[in-house]
Amino acid sequence: QVQLVESGGGLAHLGGSLRLSCVASGIGSIFHIYDVAWYRQGPGKERELVAILVRGGQRNYVDSVKGRFTISRDNTKNTVYLQMNSLKSDDTAVYYCNCKSASLGADYWGQGTQVTVSS
């Protein structure tokens, strides 16, 4: 059974940094074939895609985080990261990790981790 567990959320000050991690267990040695992504859902908002790192290595970001957030992965640890710098109040949200493989018909989600940015 595949399970994604996020960590690293919490309270940060405006302009501060946080690093989120997401460990995929039960996914075996094929983690590298998955596209990985971070989504977020802020208060009263719909869930949005924040960053995605596809199997081939291409990264894409929502405009609001470009230049501030970086998505990366360590396939040896079955882990996805989201480095968040220069945090803004609008970054306050629950952040969710996602691993997806169209070829396998697989789509997994973590339980979410809260990020709160305050002044």
Side-chain angles (χ1 to χ4, degrees), residues 3-76:
Q3 188 175 13
L4 304 184
V5 178
E6 301 104 332
S7 62
L11 180 65
H13 292 295
L14 282 172
S17 298
L18 284 175
R19 188 194 196 202
L20 305 183
S21 299
C22 170
V23 179
S25 61
I27 211 166
S29 61
I30 60 171
F31 176 74
H32 63 282
I33 75 170
Y34 284 79
D35 298 335
V36 294
W38 288 94
Y39 287 74
R40 69 184 179 186
Q41 187 166 15
K45 300 179 181 179
E46 295 186 354
R47 188 175 297 192
E48 68 171 349
L49 176 62
V50 176
I52 186 168
L53 173 55
V54 299
R55 177 181 178 180
Q58 183 179 359
R59 293 172 171 83
N60 283 296
Y61 300 90
V62 66
D63 286 346
S64 60
V65 309
K66 285 180 180 177
R68 300 189 298 121
F69 289 12
T70 302
I71 187 171
S72 61
R73 68 193 298 169
D74 185 339
N75 292 333
T76 66

Side-chain angles (χ1 to χ4, degrees), residues 81-102:
Y81 303 99
L82 185 67
Q83 178 66 44
M84 306 187 294
N85 299 327
S86 303
L87 285 164
K88 304 177 179 181
S89 57
D90 285 349
D91 296 322
T92 294
V94 178
Y95 285 72
Y96 298 89
C97 175
N98 175 255
C99 293
K100 187 174 183 178
S101 170

